[in-house]
Amino acid sequence: MNQKPESGHPEQGASRDREIVDARVIVTCPGRNFVTLKIETRSGVYGLGDATLNGRELAVAAYLQEHVVPNLIGRDAGRIEDTWQFLYRGAYWRRGPVTMTAIAAVDVALWDILGKMAGLPLYRLLGGRSREGALVYGHANGSDIGEASEAVGRFIEQGFRAVRAQCGVPGVKKAYGISSGRAYEPAESELPVETVWSTPKYLETAPKLFERLRADHGNDVELLHDVHHRLTPIEAARLARDLEPHRLFWLEDATPAENQKSFELIRKHSVTPLAVGEVFNSIWDCKHLIEQQLIDYIRTTIVHGGGITHVRRLADFAALHQVRTGFHGATDLSPVCMGAALHFDTWVPNFGIQEYMFHSDETDAVFPHDYVLRDGRLYCGESPGHGVDIDEALAAKFPYAPKQLPVARLEDGTMWDW
Ligand code: CS2
Ligand code: MG
C-alpha cells in the first residue's frame, strides 16, 4: 500500500514531499460536536477533512483512528483516487454512514493538500468556476404561522433569496425544525428527547403556512419545506398537491427513501419539486430515484457521501437526468464541509441551491474560513485548497460532550421517524 516511486522516476522528489507522515482525529465541541481529520505531509503541508456524523461522532472517530489512519502513514497524498478506492474496496464492508463519512474526511483532506501544493483553490482543480456565488437558503421558523412569517421576513431583509420555512403545529408540542432559541439543529441531550407527532394535525397546518407566506411576502422569494421523513407515500402525495399553488422551490424528505418506488406515487399526484438525500451516503442510494427522475434535487453532501471524489460522480450522474444539487448544510456539518461544498457548488454545472445555517461564533472561531455570505449567496474564497483551517489550541478548550438527536412517537406511543 505504500507506493514507492521507481528509482529515477521524475516525480520522486515531489512524491517524497507528498508522503503522509501524520494523520490525527480532532474532536471538539464549540457549541456542538465536530470531528476533523488532519493529514500532514513530509513537506509540512496539511489538509483537513470533516468527519462529523451528528449523534454518532465517536463511531467515525474510532473508525478513522483504528482502521484508517494506520493505512495512511507512508502513503502518497497525491494519490487521491487510489486512496479512495483502497478505503472503499479494501474495507470489504461497503457503504454506510460511518464508513463513507470516514472516507470523505480522508478524501477532502487530500484534495485540500493537493490545492495547497498546487497553490490553487479547490474549485479550480475541479474544472473552474461555473458561477460567481452559490444561491443559499436560510432556516426560518416560528412557534406558529405568524411567527414563522415574521422570521421569513427577517431573512428577506438580510438579503436571502430563498428561505426554508417550518412552524409549530397546534396540538403538537415540539415540531421538527422549531428553534428553542439557539442555532438549530438539535442533538440536545445525552439520551434522545422524546417528541410526539401527529400527521393529521401537521397536514392541516403546512399548506396554511405557505398560503400565508405567499400572501405576506409575494412570489419572488423561493420557499422550501422539510417534512423530515414523516409522511407515508400517499400522505406525502397529498401534501405535495396541497402545496402546489404556493410554488415551492422544493419539498424535502416527504417520505423515507428506503422504498424508492414510493416516490412514483408522489410524482403521480403533484408537480411540486422534490429533494431527497441528506441521509444517503453513496451513488447507489439515489441511483433509482435519479434514473427514474423521481426527484429534482439531490441533497447528499461531501461529508456523508464519501468526499469530493464520490460526490462528483454522483453529481455527474444526476446531471444526465437533469437532477440538480442541493447540498445538506445544517449546523451539524462543520465549516470544513461547508468550505469544500462551496468550492464544489462553484464548479458543479448542475448546481441548484446550498443549505446554509449560521454556525455559532465559537464554531467560526475554531474553524477560521474564507467563505463569505453576500446578497443571499455564499462565495468561496481564493486561498489554496478549501480555505478552512482549524485552531487546535482553541478546539482543545471545547471537549466532546455526548449528545443524541431526538426521537418521535405517534400520539398512541408508536415509534415514528423523527
Ligand atoms: C435537516 C438536518 O437541514 C436539514 O434539512 O434535515 O438538519 C438534519 O435534521 C440534521 O442534519 C440531523 O443531524
Ligand atoms: Mg432535511
Side-chain angles (χ1 to χ4, degrees), residues 32 53-55 137 139 164 176 184-186 226 228-229 252-253 278 299 304 328-333 355 357 405 418:
R32 66 171 320 119
L53 187 61
N54 197 11
Y137 69 92
H139 279 211
R164 183 189 97 157
Y176 164 78
Y184 197 71
E185 263 323 307
D226 191 350
H228 225 251
H229 325 268
E252 180 186 337
D253 289 334
E278 68 182 34
R299 303 234 329 116
H304 300 141
H328 188 197
T331 48
D332 51 293
L333 284 60
E355 179 179 19
M357 299 173 73
L405 283 162
W418 175 72

PDB file of all heavy atoms in Angstrom, residues 32 53-55 137 139 164 176 184-186 226 228-229 252-253 278 299 304 328-333 355 357 405 418, ligand 1:
ATOM      1  N   ARG A  32     -21.393  22.564  19.595  1.00  0.00           N
ATOM      2  CA  ARG A  32     -21.843  21.241  19.186  1.00  0.00           C
ATOM      3  C   ARG A  32     -20.623  20.437  18.761  1.00  0.00           C
ATOM      4  O   ARG A  32     -19.552  21.006  18.530  1.00  0.00           O
ATOM      5  CB  ARG A  32     -22.857  21.329  18.067  1.00  0.00           C
ATOM      6  CG  ARG A  32     -22.326  21.874  16.758  1.00  0.00           C
ATOM      7  CD  ARG A  32     -23.339  21.732  15.650  1.00  0.00           C
ATOM      8  NE  ARG A  32     -23.998  20.452  15.776  1.00  0.00           N
ATOM      9  CZ  ARG A  32     -25.313  20.324  15.972  1.00  0.00           C
ATOM     10  NH1 ARG A  32     -26.083  21.361  16.004  1.00  0.00           N
ATOM     11  NH2 ARG A  32     -25.837  19.131  16.106  1.00  0.00           N
ATOM     12  N   LEU A  53     -20.625  13.102  12.120  1.00  0.00           N
ATOM     13  CA  LEU A  53     -21.892  12.399  11.919  1.00  0.00           C
ATOM     14  C   LEU A  53     -22.696  12.640  13.200  1.00  0.00           C
ATOM     15  O   LEU A  53     -22.442  12.009  14.236  1.00  0.00           O
ATOM     16  CB  LEU A  53     -21.613  10.906  11.687  1.00  0.00           C
ATOM     17  CG  LEU A  53     -22.792  10.021  11.294  1.00  0.00           C
ATOM     18  CD1 LEU A  53     -23.425  10.453   9.971  1.00  0.00           C
ATOM     19  CD2 LEU A  53     -22.331   8.559  11.185  1.00  0.00           C
ATOM     20  N   ASN A  54     -23.627  13.558  13.108  1.00  0.00           N
ATOM     21  CA  ASN A  54     -24.335  14.067  14.285  1.00  0.00           C
ATOM     22  C   ASN A  54     -24.908  12.949  15.163  1.00  0.00           C
ATOM     23  O   ASN A  54     -25.650  12.092  14.690  1.00  0.00           O
ATOM     24  CB  ASN A  54     -25.472  14.991  13.806  1.00  0.00           C
ATOM     25  CG  ASN A  54     -26.008  15.888  14.907  1.00  0.00           C
ATOM     26  OD1 ASN A  54     -25.422  15.986  15.982  1.00  0.00           O
ATOM     27  ND2 ASN A  54     -27.118  16.557  14.639  1.00  0.00           N
ATOM     28  N   GLY A  55     -24.548  12.972  16.424  1.00  0.00           N
ATOM     29  CA  GLY A  55     -25.071  11.986  17.369  1.00  0.00           C
ATOM     30  C   GLY A  55     -24.321  10.663  17.372  1.00  0.00           C
ATOM     31  O   GLY A  55     -24.549   9.820  18.227  1.00  0.00           O
ATOM     32  N   TYR A 137     -30.120  28.855   0.929  1.00  0.00           N
ATOM     33  CA  TYR A 137     -31.377  29.088   1.648  1.00  0.00           C
ATOM     34  C   TYR A 137     -31.124  29.045   3.145  1.00  0.00           C
ATOM     35  O   TYR A 137     -30.322  28.249   3.637  1.00  0.00           O
ATOM     36  CB  TYR A 137     -32.477  28.114   1.234  1.00  0.00           C
ATOM     37  CG  TYR A 137     -32.313  26.664   1.629  1.00  0.00           C
ATOM     38  CD1 TYR A 137     -32.855  26.183   2.832  1.00  0.00           C
ATOM     39  CD2 TYR A 137     -31.671  25.758   0.806  1.00  0.00           C
ATOM     40  CE1 TYR A 137     -32.755  24.837   3.188  1.00  0.00           C
ATOM     41  CE2 TYR A 137     -31.556  24.419   1.144  1.00  0.00           C
ATOM     42  CZ  TYR A 137     -32.093  23.966   2.339  1.00  0.00           C
ATOM     43  OH  TYR A 137     -31.984  22.638   2.690  1.00  0.00           O
ATOM     44  N   HIS A 139     -32.828  29.174   7.256  1.00  0.00           N
ATOM     45  CA  HIS A 139     -33.873  28.461   8.001  1.00  0.00           C
ATOM     46  C   HIS A 139     -34.722  29.435   8.799  1.00  0.00           C
ATOM     47  O   HIS A 139     -34.252  29.989   9.788  1.00  0.00           O
ATOM     48  CB  HIS A 139     -33.237  27.523   9.021  1.00  0.00           C
ATOM     49  CG  HIS A 139     -32.774  26.232   8.457  1.00  0.00           C
ATOM     50  ND1 HIS A 139     -32.760  25.085   9.193  1.00  0.00           N
ATOM     51  CD2 HIS A 139     -32.304  25.897   7.238  1.00  0.00           C
ATOM     52  CE1 HIS A 139     -32.288  24.085   8.447  1.00  0.00           C
ATOM     53  NE2 HIS A 139     -32.002  24.566   7.257  1.00  0.00           N
ATOM     54  N   ARG A 164     -36.143  28.387   3.846  1.00  0.00           N
ATOM     55  CA  ARG A 164     -36.896  27.210   4.265  1.00  0.00           C
ATOM     56  C   ARG A 164     -37.784  27.630   5.424  1.00  0.00           C
ATOM     57  O   ARG A 164     -37.314  28.325   6.328  1.00  0.00           O
ATOM     58  CB  ARG A 164     -35.921  26.121   4.728  1.00  0.00           C
ATOM     59  CG  ARG A 164     -36.589  24.832   5.111  1.00  0.00           C
ATOM     60  CD  ARG A 164     -35.614  23.856   5.764  1.00  0.00           C
ATOM     61  NE  ARG A 164     -35.703  23.921   7.211  1.00  0.00           N
ATOM     62  CZ  ARG A 164     -35.336  22.918   8.024  1.00  0.00           C
ATOM     63  NH1 ARG A 164     -34.837  21.799   7.529  1.00  0.00           N
ATOM     64  NH2 ARG A 164     -35.443  23.050   9.322  1.00  0.00           N
ATOM     65  N   TYR A 176     -40.701  19.343  14.323  1.00  0.00           N
ATOM     66  CA  TYR A 176     -39.355  19.394  13.754  1.00  0.00           C
ATOM     67  C   TYR A 176     -39.054  20.797  13.195  1.00  0.00           C
ATOM     68  O   TYR A 176     -39.899  21.405  12.549  1.00  0.00           O
ATOM     69  CB  TYR A 176     -39.190  18.369  12.611  1.00  0.00           C
ATOM     70  CG  TYR A 176     -37.976  18.699  11.787  1.00  0.00           C
ATOM     71  CD1 TYR A 176     -36.707  18.376  12.257  1.00  0.00           C
ATOM     72  CD2 TYR A 176     -38.089  19.428  10.612  1.00  0.00           C
ATOM     73  CE1 TYR A 176     -35.588  18.757  11.561  1.00  0.00           C
ATOM     74  CE2 TYR A 176     -36.976  19.809   9.904  1.00  0.00           C
ATOM     75  CZ  TYR A 176     -35.726  19.469  10.383  1.00  0.00           C
ATOM     76  OH  TYR A 176     -34.618  19.871   9.707  1.00  0.00           O
ATOM     77  N   TYR A 184     -30.361  26.193  15.500  1.00  0.00           N
ATOM     78  CA  TYR A 184     -30.987  24.898  15.419  1.00  0.00           C
ATOM     79  C   TYR A 184     -30.047  23.943  14.742  1.00  0.00           C
ATOM     80  O   TYR A 184     -29.307  24.308  13.875  1.00  0.00           O
ATOM     81  CB  TYR A 184     -32.301  25.023  14.643  1.00  0.00           C
ATOM     82  CG  TYR A 184     -33.209  23.854  14.834  1.00  0.00           C
ATOM     83  CD1 TYR A 184     -33.835  23.651  16.044  1.00  0.00           C
ATOM     84  CD2 TYR A 184     -33.409  22.965  13.810  1.00  0.00           C
ATOM     85  CE1 TYR A 184     -34.658  22.562  16.236  1.00  0.00           C
ATOM     86  CE2 TYR A 184     -34.244  21.883  13.990  1.00  0.00           C
ATOM     87  CZ  TYR A 184     -34.859  21.685  15.201  1.00  0.00           C
ATOM     88  OH  TYR A 184     -35.673  20.610  15.389  1.00  0.00           O
ATOM     89  N   GLU A 185     -29.783  22.906  14.931  1.00  0.00           N
ATOM     90  CA  GLU A 185     -30.029  21.519  14.716  1.00  0.00           C
ATOM     91  C   GLU A 185     -29.802  20.759  15.989  1.00  0.00           C
ATOM     92  O   GLU A 185     -28.712  20.723  16.518  1.00  0.00           O
ATOM     93  CB  GLU A 185     -29.175  20.957  13.596  1.00  0.00           C
ATOM     94  CG  GLU A 185     -29.923  20.901  12.232  1.00  0.00           C
ATOM     95  CD  GLU A 185     -31.399  20.546  12.368  1.00  0.00           C
ATOM     96  OE1 GLU A 185     -31.720  19.528  12.995  1.00  0.00           O
ATOM     97  OE2 GLU A 185     -32.218  21.316  11.862  1.00  0.00           O
ATOM     98  N   PRO A 186     -30.846  20.166  16.485  1.00  0.00           N
ATOM     99  CA  PRO A 186     -30.749  19.594  17.810  1.00  0.00           C
ATOM    100  C   PRO A 186     -29.970  18.304  17.837  1.00  0.00           C
ATOM    101  O   PRO A 186     -30.019  17.511  16.916  1.00  0.00           O
ATOM    102  CB  PRO A 186     -32.204  19.323  18.184  1.00  0.00           C
ATOM    103  CG  PRO A 186     -32.877  19.111  16.894  1.00  0.00           C
ATOM    104  CD  PRO A 186     -32.148  19.927  15.875  1.00  0.00           C
ATOM    105  N   ASP A 226     -39.196  21.224   4.750  1.00  0.00           N
ATOM    106  CA  ASP A 226     -38.628  19.909   5.074  1.00  0.00           C
ATOM    107  C   ASP A 226     -39.640  19.096   5.876  1.00  0.00           C
ATOM    108  O   ASP A 226     -40.029  19.497   6.971  1.00  0.00           O
ATOM    109  CB  ASP A 226     -37.340  20.115   5.898  1.00  0.00           C
ATOM    110  CG  ASP A 226     -36.535  18.838   6.051  1.00  0.00           C
ATOM    111  OD1 ASP A 226     -37.040  17.759   5.689  1.00  0.00           O
ATOM    112  OD2 ASP A 226     -35.387  18.930   6.538  1.00  0.00           O
ATOM    113  N   HIS A 228     -39.000  16.007   6.800  1.00  0.00           N
ATOM    114  CA  HIS A 228     -38.153  15.186   7.675  1.00  0.00           C
ATOM    115  C   HIS A 228     -38.656  13.750   7.791  1.00  0.00           C
ATOM    116  O   HIS A 228     -38.763  13.203   8.901  1.00  0.00           O
ATOM    117  CB  HIS A 228     -37.991  15.848   9.046  1.00  0.00           C
ATOM    118  CG  HIS A 228     -36.574  15.843   9.537  1.00  0.00           C
ATOM    119  ND1 HIS A 228     -36.167  15.047  10.571  1.00  0.00           N
ATOM    120  CD2 HIS A 228     -35.478  16.497   9.113  1.00  0.00           C
ATOM    121  CE1 HIS A 228     -34.868  15.236  10.775  1.00  0.00           C
ATOM    122  NE2 HIS A 228     -34.426  16.108   9.897  1.00  0.00           N
ATOM    123  N   HIS A 229     -38.993  13.172   6.635  1.00  0.00           N
ATOM    124  CA  HIS A 229     -39.297  11.737   6.513  1.00  0.00           C
ATOM    125  C   HIS A 229     -40.552  11.284   7.252  1.00  0.00           C
ATOM    126  O   HIS A 229     -40.675  10.110   7.597  1.00  0.00           O
ATOM    127  CB  HIS A 229     -38.127  10.869   7.035  1.00  0.00           C
ATOM    128  CG  HIS A 229     -36.760  11.400   6.798  1.00  0.00           C
ATOM    129  ND1 HIS A 229     -36.022  11.088   5.683  1.00  0.00           N
ATOM    130  CD2 HIS A 229     -35.976  12.241   7.518  1.00  0.00           C
ATOM    131  CE1 HIS A 229     -34.859  11.692   5.736  1.00  0.00           C
ATOM    132  NE2 HIS A 229     -34.799  12.403   6.827  1.00  0.00           N
ATOM    133  N   GLU A 252     -38.883  18.673   0.852  1.00  0.00           N
ATOM    134  CA  GLU A 252     -37.750  17.790   1.177  1.00  0.00           C
ATOM    135  C   GLU A 252     -38.178  16.588   2.018  1.00  0.00           C
ATOM    136  O   GLU A 252     -38.985  16.735   2.941  1.00  0.00           O
ATOM    137  CB  GLU A 252     -36.726  18.627   1.952  1.00  0.00           C
ATOM    138  CG  GLU A 252     -35.498  17.852   2.356  1.00  0.00           C
ATOM    139  CD  GLU A 252     -34.591  18.683   3.255  1.00  0.00           C
ATOM    140  OE1 GLU A 252     -34.671  19.928   3.215  1.00  0.00           O
ATOM    141  OE2 GLU A 252     -33.820  18.079   4.011  1.00  0.00           O
ATOM    142  N   ASP A 253     -37.572  15.443   1.716  1.00  0.00           N
ATOM    143  CA  ASP A 253     -37.771  14.224   2.505  1.00  0.00           C
ATOM    144  C   ASP A 253     -39.235  14.002   2.863  1.00  0.00           C
ATOM    145  O   ASP A 253     -39.588  13.822   4.035  1.00  0.00           O
ATOM    146  CB  ASP A 253     -36.894  14.251   3.764  1.00  0.00           C
ATOM    147  CG  ASP A 253     -35.413  14.086   3.423  1.00  0.00           C
ATOM    148  OD1 ASP A 253     -35.109  13.482   2.381  1.00  0.00           O
ATOM    149  OD2 ASP A 253     -34.563  14.571   4.200  1.00  0.00           O
ATOM    150  N   GLU A 278     -30.183  13.723   2.195  1.00  0.00           N
ATOM    151  CA  GLU A 278     -29.199  14.107   3.210  1.00  0.00           C
ATOM    152  C   GLU A 278     -28.728  12.898   4.019  1.00  0.00           C
ATOM    153  O   GLU A 278     -27.637  12.935   4.573  1.00  0.00           O
ATOM    154  CB  GLU A 278     -29.746  15.210   4.131  1.00  0.00           C
ATOM    155  CG  GLU A 278     -30.884  14.753   5.021  1.00  0.00           C
ATOM    156  CD  GLU A 278     -31.443  15.870   5.890  1.00  0.00           C
ATOM    157  OE1 GLU A 278     -31.467  17.018   5.441  1.00  0.00           O
ATOM    158  OE2 GLU A 278     -31.847  15.566   7.030  1.00  0.00           O
ATOM    159  N   ARG A 299     -29.497  15.821  -2.241  1.00  0.00           N
ATOM    160  CA  ARG A 299     -29.001  16.570  -1.083  1.00  0.00           C
ATOM    161  C   ARG A 299     -27.708  16.014  -0.482  1.00  0.00           C
ATOM    162  O   ARG A 299     -27.129  16.614   0.423  1.00  0.00           O
ATOM    163  CB  ARG A 299     -30.075  16.561   0.020  1.00  0.00           C
ATOM    164  CG  ARG A 299     -31.353  17.110  -0.453  1.00  0.00           C
ATOM    165  CD  ARG A 299     -31.955  18.225   0.335  1.00  0.00           C
ATOM    166  NE  ARG A 299     -31.726  18.276   1.748  1.00  0.00           N
ATOM    167  CZ  ARG A 299     -31.050  19.250   2.360  1.00  0.00           C
ATOM    168  NH1 ARG A 299     -30.513  20.232   1.663  1.00  0.00           N
ATOM    169  NH2 ARG A 299     -30.897  19.237   3.674  1.00  0.00           N
ATOM    170  N   HIS A 304     -20.929  13.278   4.056  1.00  0.00           N
ATOM    171  CA  HIS A 304     -21.584  11.978   4.268  1.00  0.00           C
ATOM    172  C   HIS A 304     -21.617  11.116   3.007  1.00  0.00           C
ATOM    173  O   HIS A 304     -22.152  10.011   3.023  1.00  0.00           O
ATOM    174  CB  HIS A 304     -23.004  12.184   4.826  1.00  0.00           C
ATOM    175  CG  HIS A 304     -23.000  12.907   6.139  1.00  0.00           C
ATOM    176  ND1 HIS A 304     -23.916  13.858   6.491  1.00  0.00           N
ATOM    177  CD2 HIS A 304     -22.126  12.822   7.185  1.00  0.00           C
ATOM    178  CE1 HIS A 304     -23.631  14.321   7.691  1.00  0.00           C
ATOM    179  NE2 HIS A 304     -22.540  13.719   8.142  1.00  0.00           N
ATOM    180  N   HIS A 328     -26.981  19.370   1.603  1.00  0.00           N
ATOM    181  CA  HIS A 328     -27.236  19.481   3.033  1.00  0.00           C
ATOM    182  C   HIS A 328     -26.203  20.434   3.635  1.00  0.00           C
ATOM    183  O   HIS A 328     -25.017  20.351   3.307  1.00  0.00           O
ATOM    184  CB  HIS A 328     -27.066  18.067   3.617  1.00  0.00           C
ATOM    185  CG  HIS A 328     -27.463  17.897   5.032  1.00  0.00           C
ATOM    186  ND1 HIS A 328     -27.048  16.814   5.766  1.00  0.00           N
ATOM    187  CD2 HIS A 328     -28.242  18.641   5.857  1.00  0.00           C
ATOM    188  CE1 HIS A 328     -27.551  16.888   6.988  1.00  0.00           C
ATOM    189  NE2 HIS A 328     -28.283  17.987   7.062  1.00  0.00           N
ATOM    190  N   GLY A 329     -26.638  21.306   4.527  1.00  0.00           N
ATOM    191  CA  GLY A 329     -25.688  22.260   5.115  1.00  0.00           C
ATOM    192  C   GLY A 329     -26.130  22.734   6.478  1.00  0.00           C
ATOM    193  O   GLY A 329     -25.985  23.905   6.816  1.00  0.00           O
ATOM    194  N   ALA A 330     -26.699  21.809   7.258  1.00  0.00           N
ATOM    195  CA  ALA A 330     -27.132  22.168   8.615  1.00  0.00           C
ATOM    196  C   ALA A 330     -25.909  22.442   9.484  1.00  0.00           C
ATOM    197  O   ALA A 330     -24.779  22.158   9.089  1.00  0.00           O
ATOM    198  CB  ALA A 330     -27.967  21.024   9.193  1.00  0.00           C
ATOM    199  N   THR A 331     -26.146  22.972  10.698  1.00  0.00           N
ATOM    200  CA  THR A 331     -25.003  23.345  11.549  1.00  0.00           C
ATOM    201  C   THR A 331     -24.229  22.139  12.067  1.00  0.00           C
ATOM    202  O   THR A 331     -23.149  22.303  12.629  1.00  0.00           O
ATOM    203  CB  THR A 331     -25.454  24.162  12.772  1.00  0.00           C
ATOM    204  OG1 THR A 331     -26.555  23.483  13.383  1.00  0.00           O
ATOM    205  CG2 THR A 331     -25.854  25.563  12.390  1.00  0.00           C
ATOM    206  N   ASP A 332     -24.769  20.932  11.892  1.00  0.00           N
ATOM    207  CA  ASP A 332     -24.006  19.771  12.363  1.00  0.00           C
ATOM    208  C   ASP A 332     -22.977  19.310  11.331  1.00  0.00           C
ATOM    209  O   ASP A 332     -22.270  18.326  11.563  1.00  0.00           O
ATOM    210  CB  ASP A 332     -24.938  18.624  12.781  1.00  0.00           C
ATOM    211  CG  ASP A 332     -25.975  18.266  11.735  1.00  0.00           C
ATOM    212  OD1 ASP A 332     -26.860  19.096  11.472  1.00  0.00           O
ATOM    213  OD2 ASP A 332     -25.893  17.162  11.175  1.00  0.00           O
ATOM    214  N   LEU A 333     -22.899  20.019  10.210  1.00  0.00           N
ATOM    215  CA  LEU A 333     -21.805  19.770   9.255  1.00  0.00           C
ATOM    216  C   LEU A 333     -20.810  20.902   9.495  1.00  0.00           C
ATOM    217  O   LEU A 333     -21.209  22.070   9.561  1.00  0.00           O
ATOM    218  CB  LEU A 333     -22.330  19.812   7.821  1.00  0.00           C
ATOM    219  CG  LEU A 333     -23.124  18.568   7.374  1.00  0.00           C
ATOM    220  CD1 LEU A 333     -24.355  18.322   8.221  1.00  0.00           C
ATOM    221  CD2 LEU A 333     -23.524  18.697   5.927  1.00  0.00           C
ATOM    222  N   GLU A 355     -27.840  24.641   1.205  1.00  0.00           N
ATOM    223  CA  GLU A 355     -28.413  24.965   2.521  1.00  0.00           C
ATOM    224  C   GLU A 355     -27.358  25.673   3.360  1.00  0.00           C
ATOM    225  O   GLU A 355     -26.183  25.309   3.332  1.00  0.00           O
ATOM    226  CB  GLU A 355     -28.845  23.655   3.217  1.00  0.00           C
ATOM    227  CG  GLU A 355     -29.442  23.870   4.604  1.00  0.00           C
ATOM    228  CD  GLU A 355     -29.893  22.555   5.249  1.00  0.00           C
ATOM    229  OE1 GLU A 355     -29.442  21.476   4.804  1.00  0.00           O
ATOM    230  OE2 GLU A 355     -30.704  22.622   6.186  1.00  0.00           O
ATOM    231  N   MET A 357     -26.938  27.391   7.357  1.00  0.00           N
ATOM    232  CA  MET A 357     -27.343  27.883   8.671  1.00  0.00           C
ATOM    233  C   MET A 357     -26.109  28.492   9.300  1.00  0.00           C
ATOM    234  O   MET A 357     -25.009  28.006   9.099  1.00  0.00           O
ATOM    235  CB  MET A 357     -27.816  26.721   9.540  1.00  0.00           C
ATOM    236  CG  MET A 357     -29.014  25.995   8.986  1.00  0.00           C
ATOM    237  SD  MET A 357     -29.369  24.534   9.973  1.00  0.00           S
ATOM    238  CE  MET A 357     -30.050  25.248  11.467  1.00  0.00           C
ATOM    239  N   LEU A 405     -29.624  12.887  18.791  1.00  0.00           N
ATOM    240  CA  LEU A 405     -30.782  13.519  18.167  1.00  0.00           C
ATOM    241  C   LEU A 405     -32.064  13.061  18.866  1.00  0.00           C
ATOM    242  O   LEU A 405     -32.091  11.976  19.454  1.00  0.00           O
ATOM    243  CB  LEU A 405     -30.840  13.126  16.685  1.00  0.00           C
ATOM    244  CG  LEU A 405     -29.861  13.867  15.781  1.00  0.00           C
ATOM    245  CD1 LEU A 405     -29.681  13.127  14.469  1.00  0.00           C
ATOM    246  CD2 LEU A 405     -30.332  15.292  15.518  1.00  0.00           C
ATOM    247  N   TRP A 418     -38.211  10.564  13.197  1.00  0.00           N
ATOM    248  CA  TRP A 418     -38.022  11.919  13.719  1.00  0.00           C
ATOM    249  C   TRP A 418     -37.714  12.910  12.598  1.00  0.00           C
ATOM    250  O   TRP A 418     -37.051  12.648  11.674  1.00  0.00           O
ATOM    251  CB  TRP A 418     -36.866  11.973  14.749  1.00  0.00           C
ATOM    252  CG  TRP A 418     -36.654  13.405  15.143  1.00  0.00           C
ATOM    253  CD1 TRP A 418     -37.482  14.171  15.923  1.00  0.00           C
ATOM    254  CD2 TRP A 418     -35.580  14.255  14.737  1.00  0.00           C
ATOM    255  NE1 TRP A 418     -36.992  15.445  16.020  1.00  0.00           N
ATOM    256  CE2 TRP A 418     -35.820  15.532  15.295  1.00  0.00           C
ATOM    257  CE3 TRP A 418     -34.455  14.063  13.931  1.00  0.00           C
ATOM    258  CZ2 TRP A 418     -34.967  16.611  15.085  1.00  0.00           C
ATOM    259  CZ3 TRP A 418     -33.599  15.127  13.721  1.00  0.00           C
ATOM    260  CH2 TRP A 418     -33.858  16.398  14.313  1.00  0.00           C
TER     261      TRP A 418
HETATM  262  C1  CS2 B   1     -32.233  18.746   8.334  1.00  0.00           C
HETATM  263  C2  CS2 B   1     -30.982  18.377   9.046  1.00  0.00           C
HETATM  264  O1  CS2 B   1     -31.078  20.577   7.417  1.00  0.00           O
HETATM  265  C3  CS2 B   1     -31.915  19.720   7.217  1.00  0.00           C
HETATM  266  O2  CS2 B   1     -32.527  19.621   6.176  1.00  0.00           O
HETATM  267  O3  CS2 B   1     -32.969  17.691   7.876  1.00  0.00           O
HETATM  268  O4  CS2 B   1     -30.644  19.475   9.759  1.00  0.00           O
HETATM  269  C4  CS2 B   1     -30.965  17.145   9.967  1.00  0.00           C
HETATM  270  O5  CS2 B   1     -32.015  17.171  10.881  1.00  0.00           O
HETATM  271  C5  CS2 B   1     -29.669  17.134  10.742  1.00  0.00           C
HETATM  272  O6  CS2 B   1     -28.590  17.331   9.884  1.00  0.00           O
HETATM  273  C6  CS2 B   1     -29.521  15.860  11.512  1.00  0.00           C
HETATM  274  O7  CS2 B   1     -28.293  15.857  12.145  1.00  0.00           O
END
